[in-house]
Amino acid sequence: MARRFDIRAQPGFAVIALFTFFLLYLPIATLVTYAFNAGNSIAVWEGVSLRWFISAANNDIVQDAAKRSLIIATVAATISTIAATMAALATTRTRSYRGLTFKYAFINQPLMVPEIVTAVALLIVFSRIKVWTGYSGLGYLLAAHTAFCIPFAYLPIRARLEGMDLMLERAAADLYATPWMTFRRITLPLLRPGIIAGFMLAFVISLDDVVITEFVKSGGQETLPTYMLGQLRRIVTPEINAIATVFLALSVAIVTAFFFLNRKKAQ
C-alpha cells in the first residue's frame, strides 16, 4: 500500500532548521558572551566582568550618540507612522481606480531601491540645500529617516486595514455617525495593533540605520551605529560588544512588549 503524503512531516526539515538557527544565532551568542569579557580582547576570554558596560555608560560620546539615535528614531517613527496611516487609509478605503497600483508601487519604492542609491541621492539634494540655506542641523537626518521609514510603517498598517471587516464601519455610517466619529470609535481601535507594529518597525529601522545616516549626517552628529562603525576602523574592544548587546536587549524588549500587548487585547 502506497504511503500517504503528509505535508506536516518533511524528512530533513528539522535538521535544516536547526542548522539555520545555529548559523544565525551563534555569532550573536558569541558577541553577547564577549561583551562580559574582563580582558581587552574580543577573541581571548579572560573572565566575567561588567567593565565594558560601565565603560560604555560612562563614555560621553556614547551617551550623546545614544540620545541622538533615540531622538531621531522616535521622531522619525512617529511622523512616518502618521503619514503611513493616512496613506494606508487613502489606498484601502477607496474603490479601485486607474493609478492605484502605481500609488502602491510609489509608496513602497524605497524598499526596492538599494539603500546606497537613496543615500547618495539624499546627499546630493541636502548638500545643495545646505549651501543655499546655511543650515546643517539635525533636520536633515530627521527628514531622511522619516522618508525612508514610511514604507516600513505602511506595510503592517495596510495589511491590518485589508484584513478588517467593513461591516462595522458601514453599520456606524447607517447609524448616522460622522466619518470622524466612525474613524475614532471603530476604525482606529481595530487598526491600533497595525499602527503599533508599523511604529515599532519604523523605530527599529531608524535606530539601526547606518548607510543613510553616514551619508546625510554633518560633523558632530554621530548616532550609535555610525559610532560603532567608526570604532571598528580603529582599536576594537569589547565595549562595542556591550553596546551591541544593549541594542539586542532593546529590540527583544520591544518585541516582547508588543507580543504581550496584542495578547492582552485579544483576551
Side-chain angles (χ1 to χ4, degrees), residues 185-202:
R185 297 290 183 88
I186 305 296
T187 308
L188 186 59
L190 294 174
L191 185 58
R192 189 174 291 117
I195 294 176
I196 296 175
F199 176 86
M200 289 174 48
L201 185 57

Side-chain angles (χ1 to χ4, degrees), residues 52-143:
W52 297 111
F53 289 92
I54 298 173
S55 174
N58 294 330
N59 190 328
D60 293 336
I61 300 177
V62 173
Q63 292 179 11
D64 291 340
K67 292 176 184 177
R68 191 173 296 109
S69 294
L70 291 174
I71 291 172
I72 293 173
T74 302
V75 174
T78 301
I79 299 176
S80 62
T81 302
I82 294 173
T85 301
M86 293 189 292
L89 288 169
T91 53
T92 56
R93 291 300 184 262
T94 183
R95 295 179 180 178
S96 180
Y97 59 88
R98 186 185 299 271
L100 184 58
T101 303
F102 171 78
K103 288 184 178 180
Y104 289 146
F106 184 78
I107 295 173
N108 294 316
Q109 188 67 24
L111 297 175
M112 296 176 281
V113 175
E115 191 175 352
I116 187 67
V117 176
T118 303
V120 172
L122 290 172
L123 172 65
I124 296 172
V125 172
F126 288 159
S127 62
R128 299 306 304 169
I129 297 176
K130 289 179 182 179
V131 172
W132 294 336
T133 63
Y135 173 73
S136 59
L138 206 62
Y140 299 108
L141 277 176
L142 293 174

Side-chain angles (χ1 to χ4, degrees), residues 98-229:
R98 186 185 299 271
L100 184 58
T101 303
F102 171 78
K103 288 184 178 180
Y104 289 146
F106 184 78
I107 295 173
N108 294 316
Q109 188 67 24
L111 297 175
M112 296 176 281
V113 175
E115 191 175 352
I116 187 67
V117 176
T118 303
V120 172
L122 290 172
L123 172 65
I124 296 172
V125 172
F126 288 159
S127 62
R128 299 306 304 169
I129 297 176
K130 289 179 182 179
V131 172
W132 294 336
T133 63
Y135 173 73
S136 59
L138 206 62
Y140 299 108
L141 277 176
L142 293 174
H145 280 233
T146 299
F148 184 67
C149 289
I150 287 176
F152 291 96
Y154 174 79
L155 290 177
I157 296 174
R158 178 192 167 191
R160 179 69 179 178
L161 276 171
E162 290 181 337
M164 287 168 50
D165 190 359
L166 289 174
M167 294 303 297
L168 293 175
E169 295 171 88
R170 291 171 178 169
D174 290 340
L175 295 173
Y176 303 101
T178 62
W180 168 247
M181 185 178 294
T182 301
F183 173 76
R184 186 166 60 89
R185 297 290 183 88
I186 305 296
T187 308
L188 186 59
L190 294 174
L191 185 58
R192 189 174 291 117
I195 294 176
I196 296 175
F199 176 86
M200 289 174 48
L201 185 57
F203 182 86
V204 172
I205 292 296
S206 175
L207 191 67
D208 295 343
D209 183 77
V210 175
V211 178
I212 291 178
T213 305
E214 190 69 28
F215 275 76
V216 174
K217 71 181 180 67
S218 301
Q221 295 181 353
E222 294 286 354
T223 61
L224 266 182
T226 59
Y227 168 78
M228 295 170 64
L229 179 63

